């Protein structure tokens, strides 16, 4: 039963990253490449009717985490206290940037909310990448100093950084060179993903330029991914032990690299949606590779005193998990129906939706 | 210990109070928009569709505020109340996860369609999307109150040796006797807020001699919906809730009503007075003998236990706050019924739109349903203290063990600053929409 909910949770997390990822990415593209009002409008229209529903996946992931793995929810949310609250503030800024911009027609007003939307999208992508880095690296569960736990074995607290920025320090920080590397990968990968979405959903003048942007960023991404694979060895001496044990898991890295290399052909795709498909493959494969490499750990422990939080020791009680399956299946079917309806009504190019116009 | 939890409690209280200013309008207003849309489908008179469209603009702005201030609520269980989350997550996680899966997806998917899809879908489907948004918002309220009810009156659980609460009866979460009265009471409270908002905007138009056609429609709709809701909020739902509190949380009931001493021959109902907790008495009181006993047990001489009969360790931690919250809610509720009754009488006599003082009163009444709803929630929450899960888990035992109060104060200050900005923006933009007024469909 724990395994079922683990798969549900990871699937939902991946869907969240793919969906909200494209509108974060659109925000990053908006910040750096949309100079003309027409381009900005195209980008807003491309994500307008969707971003809110995309963000609901985050709430749903949080809810399922709370219900199925309450120990992990309690431990990680209090341990990563500051960055989580900052993510909330950024989400608020981003949302009001999108929703309030069109309320008043004034160039200063619009410029403020454009920047709020763009900058918070960029920072969110960075923060979520850093979060993934923290989960791969692990934390000092129980806050052990000299072999003695200062708290219960599953609680911890991390400051934003420590003076060394080293992922090997006894007292870790949330930002160190390794997690920052994953943060930058997050920004680049989502910028590509967002650009692909804009190409897919609009006939904007920007599209030709964006294809070049995707191509260039993809080179950067490839280099960063290679660096991260090497640095992974420094964090974890045997990062691929699960892949040795279960060879079928190799499908995930293969998907990742299919997505990554496929994107180099971005300029010759026959259909505008192909780019988005490949960046989706990259995100899906990348996330699946990462979480399966630490399985069954959910949050590894960096000390030898307290055990890692795993799928089995962080889960809720059996009865609750079993009864949850019934309502979850019903809800999942409904959500699938809503999504089909939503994407059918707003199918094709979105240039004329008129999002945020009053 | 009390000091350590102070900022955690302040942050939760501040963020939830601010958050709930928005959903209370969302839930009631979605019903009223669906009503306008339905009237349009039935009569084909453009006025109703224009009214629906106008309120959709306010709704969209309000909904966005509700969403952005709502996400922090779900996160804060984990960030600030980690021990509570760990111990009870297997139970309250159920209802909170269901809220995400059942109501937020429904609302957010169809809100986009409702706001941007009228031309794409046609009128009937547009009505349907509006109805689904309404359904989603009420389902959200239901599941939140199911969670709240479990904390007030825990059911369907057992406690393991390590202190964890585990669910053993899923159905009990929804047949909880606390749930239905609390849900209906809350939804009616929400409908009162939206009724007064609609009526106040209508009165503003009438008193300004602009958009008079809409002014009349809004005032009329507002006072009719408002009267029904403000009666049902008191009886049967409020009455039913008070009886639940009297039976299951007698110490809370005594504090709410301001009863320190148990009186022989029946308890008086306190209308006005200031609790003096140090000296265990009520100053300057105005009270009516025996009425509280009658209202609670339908017997004039029924005994109601005073606070002094309970050990101080189970007294609510903020007795004056609890007492005032409850009395503000009840007092305002009474004023609402009175004003709306008069307004409906004038409406029936076809004189409402000329009765200036009622229109002025309706307009200035705008903030008070918000205050009454907030006071109602404070009554419920302060009434549960010092417990998180009534009689089972104390609030001091629920906080995050590793988060220092310095970090909590930092984020509390951040929330205060950010929400101040949100509040100002909301008032400015809502004012702009209201000032501009509804747009009439051009006849082609």
């Amino acid at each position: 039963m724990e395994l079922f909910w683990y798969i549900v949770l990871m699937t939902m997390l991946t869907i969240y990253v793919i969906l909200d990822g494209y509108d974060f990415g659109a925000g990053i593209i908006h910040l750096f490449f949309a100079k003309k009002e027409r381009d900005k409008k195209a980008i807003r229209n491309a994500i307008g009717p969707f971003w809110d529903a995309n963000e609901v996946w985050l709430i749903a992931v949080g809810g399922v985490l709370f219900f199925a793995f309450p120990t992990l929810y309690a431990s990680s949310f209090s341990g990563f206290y500051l960055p989580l609250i900052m993510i909330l503030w950024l989400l608020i800024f981003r949302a009001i940037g999108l929703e309030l911009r069109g309320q008043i027609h004034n160039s200063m007003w619009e410029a403020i909310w454009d920047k709020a939307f763009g900058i918070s999208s960029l920072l969110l992508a960075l923060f979520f990448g850093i979060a993934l880095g923290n989960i791969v690296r692990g934390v000092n569960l129980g806050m052990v100093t000299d072999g003695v736990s200062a708290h219960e074995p599953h609680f911890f607290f991390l400051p934003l950084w420590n003076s060394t920025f080293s992922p090997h320090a006894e007292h870790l920080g949330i930002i160190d060179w390794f997690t920052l590397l994953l943060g930058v990968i997050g920004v680049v990968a989502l910028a590509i993903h967002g650009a692909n979405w804009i190409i897919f959903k609009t006939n904007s003048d920007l599209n030709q330029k964006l294809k070049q942007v995707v191509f260039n960023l993809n080179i950067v991404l490839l280099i960063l991914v290679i660096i991260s694979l090497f640095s992974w060895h420094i964090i974890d001496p045997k990062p691929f032990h699960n892949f040795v044990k279960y060879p079928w898991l190799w499908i995930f890295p293969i998907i990742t690299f299919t997505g990554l290399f496929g994107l180099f052909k971005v300029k010759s795709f026959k259909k505008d949606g192909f780019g988005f498909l490949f960046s989706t493959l990259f995100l899906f494969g990348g996330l699946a590779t990462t979480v399966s490499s630490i399985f069954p750990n959910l949050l590894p422990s960096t000390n030898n005193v307290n055990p890692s939080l795993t799928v089995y020791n962080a889960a809720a009680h059996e009865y609750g998990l079993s009864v949850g399956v019934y309502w979850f299946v019903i809800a999942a079917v409904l959500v699938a129906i809503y999504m089909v309806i939503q994407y059918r009504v707003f199918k094709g190019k979105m240039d004329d939706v008129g999002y945020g116009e009053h | 210990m009390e000091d350590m939890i102070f900022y955690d409690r302040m942050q939760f209280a501040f963020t939830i109070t601010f958050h709930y200013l928005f959903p209370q309008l969302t839930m009631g207003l979605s019903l009223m928009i669906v009503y306008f849309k339905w009237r349009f489908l039935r009569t084909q008179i453009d006025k109703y569709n224009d009214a629906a469209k106008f309120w959709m603009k306010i709704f969209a702005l309000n909904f966005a505020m509700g969403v952005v201030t709502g996400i922090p609520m779900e996160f804060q269980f984990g960030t600030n109340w980690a021990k509570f989350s760990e111990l009870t997550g297997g139970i309250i996680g159920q209802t909170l996860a269901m809220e995400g899966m059942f109501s937020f997806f429904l609302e957010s998917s169809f809100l986009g369609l409702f706001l941007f899809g009228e031309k794409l879908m046609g009128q009937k489907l547009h009505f349907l999307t509006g109805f689904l948004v309404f359904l989603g918002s009420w389902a959200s309220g239901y599941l939140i109150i199911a969670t709240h009810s479990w904390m007030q009156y825990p059911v369907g659980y057992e406690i393991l040796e390590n202190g964890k609460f585990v669910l053993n009866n899923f159905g009990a979460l929804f047949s909880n006797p606390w749930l239905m009265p609390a849900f209906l009471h809350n939804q009616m409270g929400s409908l009162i807020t939206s009724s007064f908002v609609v009526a106040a905007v209508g009165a503003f138009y009438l008193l300004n001699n602009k958009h008079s056609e809409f002014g009349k429609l809004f005032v009329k709709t507002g006072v009719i919906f408002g009267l029904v809701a403000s009666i049902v909020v008191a009886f049967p739902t409020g009455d039913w809730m008070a009886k639940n509190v009297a039976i299951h949380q007698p110490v809370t009931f005594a504090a709410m009503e301001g009863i320190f001493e148990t009186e022989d021959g029946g308890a008086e109902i306190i209308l006005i007075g200031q609790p003096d907790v140090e000296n265990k008495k009520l100053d300057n009181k105005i009270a009516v003998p025996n009425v509280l006993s009658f209202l609670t047990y339908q017997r004039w001489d029924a005994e109601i236990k005073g606070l002094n009969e309970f050990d101080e360790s189970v007294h609510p931690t903020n007795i004056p706050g609890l007492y005032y919250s409850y009395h503000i809610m009840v007092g305002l509720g009474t004023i609402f019924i009175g004003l709306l009754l008069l307004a409906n009488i004038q409406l029936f006599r076809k004189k409402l739109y000329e009765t200036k003082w009622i229109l002025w009163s309706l307009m200035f009444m705008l903030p008070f349903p918000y205050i009454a709803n907030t006071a109602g929630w404070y009554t419920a929450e302060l009434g549960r203290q010092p417990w998180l899960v009534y009689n089972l888990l104390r609030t001091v035992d629920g906080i995050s063990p590793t988060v220092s109060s310095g970090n909590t104060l930092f984020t509390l200050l951040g929330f205060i600053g950010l929400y101040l900005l949100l509040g100002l923006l909301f008032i400015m933009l809502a004012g702009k929409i209201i000032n501009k007024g509804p747009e009439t469909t051009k006849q082609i």
Side-chain angles (χ1 to χ4, degrees), chain B residues 104-259:
Chain B
F104 293 153
F105 277 112
L106 186 62
E107 277 181 303
S108 62
S109 306
F110 289 100
L111 183 68
L113 293 170
F114 190 51
L115 295 178
F116 309 115
E118 189 181 354
K119 282 180 213 149
L120 289 168
M121 290 183 302
Q123 289 302 335
K124 283 205 175 128
L125 280 177
H126 190 236
F127 169 78
L128 185 66
T129 56
F131 180 77
L132 291 172
V133 171
F134 153 73
L135 197 68
S137 70
W138 281 51
S140 167
Y142 182 75
L143 289 162
I144 283 297
I145 293 197
T147 312
H148 161 80
S149 300
W150 186 81
M151 291 166 71
Q152 295 281 0
Y153 187 71
V155 287
Y157 69 94
E158 58 188 292
I159 300 176
L160 302 182
E161 272 174 28
N162 57 13
K164 284 192 184 175
F165 291 71
V166 296
L167 189 66
N168 63 16
N169 184 350
F170 179 73
L173 294 178
F174 300 96
S175 59
N176 188 338
W178 208 277
L179 171 56
M180 197 38 82
F183 173 65
L184 293 176
H185 187 66
N186 186 67
Q187 298 315 98
M188 288 303 119
S190 159
L191 194 54
I192 292 174
T193 297
S194 65
S195 302
F196 269 108
V197 168
V198 171
V201 170
F204 171 69
Y205 291 154
L206 287 178
L207 291 169
N208 264 305
N209 282 321
K210 61 178 192 181
H211 312 296
S212 300
E213 197 62 15
F214 289 104
K216 288 176 186 170
L217 175 64
F218 294 165
V219 168
K220 182 179 168 184
T221 314
V223 297
I224 294 175
F225 272 82
L227 181 64
V228 174
S230 60
I231 290 171
V232 178
V233 88
F235 190 87
T237 64
D239 175 60
W240 193 3
M241 277 192 81
K243 284 174 182 159
N244 260 343
V245 177
I247 296 164
H248 301 299
Q249 302 181 348
V251 59
T252 305
F253 190 71
M256 270 162 61
E257 300 284 0
I259 308 286

Side-chain angles (χ1 to χ4, degrees), chain A residues 56-57 59 63 66-67 71 73-74 77-78 81-82 92 95 103 151-152 154 156-157 317 319-320 327 338 355, chain B residues 68 74 77-80 82-83 86 93-94 96-98 105-106 108 116 164 166-167 170 401-402 407 411 432:
Chain A
V56 171
W57 283 93
I59 307 176
F66 192 177
F67 136 81
T71 308
Y73 171 82
F77 276 42
S78 59
Y81 184 81
L82 279 176
I92 292 174
Q103 301 269 355
H151 286 281
E152 285 182 83
H154 47 278
F156 68 97
F157 182 85
H317 205 247
Y319 171 80
W327 62 255
Y338 307 154
Y355 171 74
Chain B
V68 298
E74 192 199 39
F77 287 106
T79 52
N80 295 72
K83 199 64 200 170
E86 185 203 348
Q94 292 268 355
L96 291 173
M98 286 174 79
F105 277 112
L106 186 62
S108 62
F116 309 115
K164 284 192 184 175
V166 296
L167 189 66
F170 179 73
T402 59
N407 276 298
T411 56
K432 182 171 163 275

Side-chain angles (χ1 to χ4, degrees), chain B residues 76-90:
Chain B
Q76 279 185 76
F77 287 106
T79 52
N80 295 72
W81 301 95
K83 199 64 200 170
F84 169 63
S85 305
E86 185 203 348
L87 295 178
T88 64

